[in-house]
Amino acid sequence: GCLILLKMVALTPALVVAAVTGSKLLVVGASGGTGARALRGLLDVGYTPAQLRVLSRNPSKPSLKPMQELGIEIYAADLDDPSTLPGVSNMCTGCYVHSTSGDTKKLDIGEVVRAQHLAQVLQADSSVRHVVYNSAAAEPTHCVKRIAQKHAVEHVFTAEFSLPATHLRANLFMEELWKSYTRPSILKGTYPFSLASDRTVYLTSVRDMGRLAGSCLAREPPPAAGRKLNVASDILNPALMAEAFADAQGTPCVHKQARLLRWIARFFFPDLYEVIQFYRTSTETTDVEALQREFPGLLTPFAAFLEETGWGNATATYEHLGIVDLKEAELT
């Protein structure tokens, strides 16, 4: 795993919307990758490090040490091994499930079974009153296996195990644009994306997902049927995204429709091709204005995201997302 460091940031009053005291929050699937961004979102809305219990199958891995130093509890458990799960949610009144699969190029087919293992334990331990799950926005006819698995996990929590659940259906994560298959080309002046330049793109910040999850968990649980809520922090198109990249990095950037990648994916990378086709043809929408009314001050425009994450620092990489000075964190 990559080294991800967290900091407690000085919060503006508008962001402290979840006055949560005395209870713990179980966080699943946030011990690596973009998980640190989601944890920052939870901290933004009022959770303290001591209230967060993060699951990890390997609590000794280096990426978790900064979390432990902040006071976040790391709990040893493996969703693939149900025998490690009893007691995982003791004293937790809520659970945020960032993921039950790894951030892998190949489809992780264990995603739904892991969710079932977790749900069984949460159901047995009635202290958890509300589950929030990081899902994916899509119309019923999307034809993407990755999204189908996430919707199947929704079914596990809400229908199969009758857990009060809010399913936050994310769109394209802004953090994905930091990965090595995209960022180097953008810094050189070309944003390759297999969409027309004027195609609408809904963008979601992982940090905002943490903020919304924390806000939802501080409220009364949803009805038994659960709640599905599409989440986007901004709405742009590839041309406007390229302009934002140019502004952030101080050098020109233009969008180029990556047709060759689409055809290569069609024959050699079927999972990727499904995702590309989805972004090209999806009719699903997200009402960002309604989200802004429900969660005022908690959504990050794309330009602000690029500034916040230091996009203009050409030496920074995806692995640096969330890296900060921990001494500064100790003083806040």
Side-chain angles (χ1 to χ4, degrees), residues 291-309:
L291 286 171
Q292 290 170 336
R293 290 192 296 270
E294 183 173 353
F295 303 98
L298 300 186
L299 298 177
T300 307
F302 186 56
F305 164 82
L306 294 176
E307 181 179 0
E308 167 204 324
T309 55

Side-chain angles (χ1 to χ4, degrees), residues 26 53 55 75-77 84-90 92 118 121-122 125:
L26 179 64
R53 176 182 294 165
L55 249 62
Y75 191 101
T84 67
L85 297 178
V88 72
S89 57
N90 286 354
C92 294
L118 175 64
V121 172
L122 297 181
D125 180 2

Side-chain angles (χ1 to χ4, degrees), residues 12-332:
T12 60
L15 293 184
V16 185
V17 299
V20 185
T21 57
S23 61
K24 274 191 171 286
L25 174 65
L26 179 64
V27 184
V28 178
S31 63
T34 60
R37 297 276 300 162
L39 291 174
R40 286 189 67 180
L42 291 168
L43 296 174
D44 286 345
V45 294
Y47 288 90
T48 66
Q51 288 176 299
L52 303 181
R53 176 182 294 165
V54 176
L55 249 62
S56 174
R57 68 179 67 191
N58 181 15
S60 63
K61 66 181 181 181
S63 63
L64 297 177
K65 185 177 180 181
M67 298 182 191
Q68 293 171 313
E69 291 175 347
L70 280 179
I72 294 174
E73 178 188 359
I74 308 299
Y75 191 101
D78 185 349
L79 293 182
D80 286 317
D81 182 359
S83 69
T84 67
L85 297 178
V88 72
S89 57
N90 286 354
M91 300 181 65
C92 294
T93 58
C95 176
Y96 171 56
V97 183
H98 188 59
S99 179
T100 60
S101 67
D103 184 12
T104 57
K105 293 181 180 179
K106 186 177 180 180
L107 185 68
D108 184 349
I109 60 174
E111 188 171 8
V112 177
V113 172
R114 294 187 197 106
Q116 290 171 325
H117 293 164
L118 175 64
Q120 186 171 17
V121 172
L122 297 181
Q123 186 186 61
D125 180 2
S126 57
S127 66
V128 172
R129 302 186 305 114
H130 190 177
V131 175
V132 174
Y133 173 56
N134 166 28
S135 187
E139 63 274 16
T141 57
H142 57 78
C143 299
V144 181
K145 291 190 230 12
R146 288 181 184 271
I147 297 176
Q149 286 193 173
K150 290 193 173 297
H151 292 181
V153 170
E154 293 181 1
H155 184 270
V156 166
F157 290 134
T158 298
E160 189 174 341
F161 285 89
S162 302
L163 295 169
T166 299
H167 307 294
L168 298 179
R169 292 183 156 191
N171 287 272
L172 175 63
F173 280 130
M174 298 178 185
E175 285 79 0
E176 290 291 315
L177 299 164
W178 269 84
K179 290 188 174 179
S180 59
Y181 58 78
T182 304
R183 177 165 158 81
S185 178
I186 295 171
L187 292 176
K188 292 177 181 178
T190 301
Y191 170 37
F193 196 10
S194 301
L195 304 182
S197 291
D198 60 353
R199 169 76 176 173
T200 298
V201 179
Y202 294 93
L203 296 161
T204 308
S205 161
V206 173
R207 185 174 179 177
D208 291 356
M209 289 292 285
R211 291 172 172 176
L212 268 58
S215 300
C216 290
L217 287 163
R219 302 173 179 176
E220 287 299 311
R227 185 187 184 195
K228 298 173 184 176
L229 182 64
N230 286 2
V231 176
S233 308
D234 205 350
I235 309 174
L236 294 174
N237 60 43
L240 293 174
M241 292 170 68
E243 290 180 14
F245 286 130
D247 290 341
Q249 62 198 35
T251 56
C253 181
V254 296
H255 168 247
K256 180 180 180 181
Q257 191 169 355
R259 293 185 175 88
L260 179 59
L261 173 61
R262 179 183 165 215
W263 286 104
I264 292 175
R266 181 175 184 178
F267 294 104
F268 299 104
F269 305 102
D271 290 342
L272 175 60
Y273 182 71
E274 286 181 356
V275 174
I276 291 173
Q277 286 297 94
F278 170 73
Y279 284 124
R280 291 182 68 250
T281 62
S282 175
T283 58
E284 188 73 358
T285 61
T286 297
D287 191 340
V288 175
E289 290 185 359
L291 286 171
Q292 290 170 336
R293 290 192 296 270
E294 183 173 353
F295 303 98
L298 300 186
L299 298 177
T300 307
F302 186 56
F305 164 82
L306 294 176
E307 181 179 0
E308 167 204 324
T309 55
W311 181 270
N313 178 2
T315 63
T317 65
Y318 174 76
E319 288 72 23
H320 286 83
L321 281 183
I323 291 181
V324 294
D325 185 354
L326 287 180
K327 291 182 180 179
E328 177 187 341
E330 294 171 357
L331 296 174
T332 57

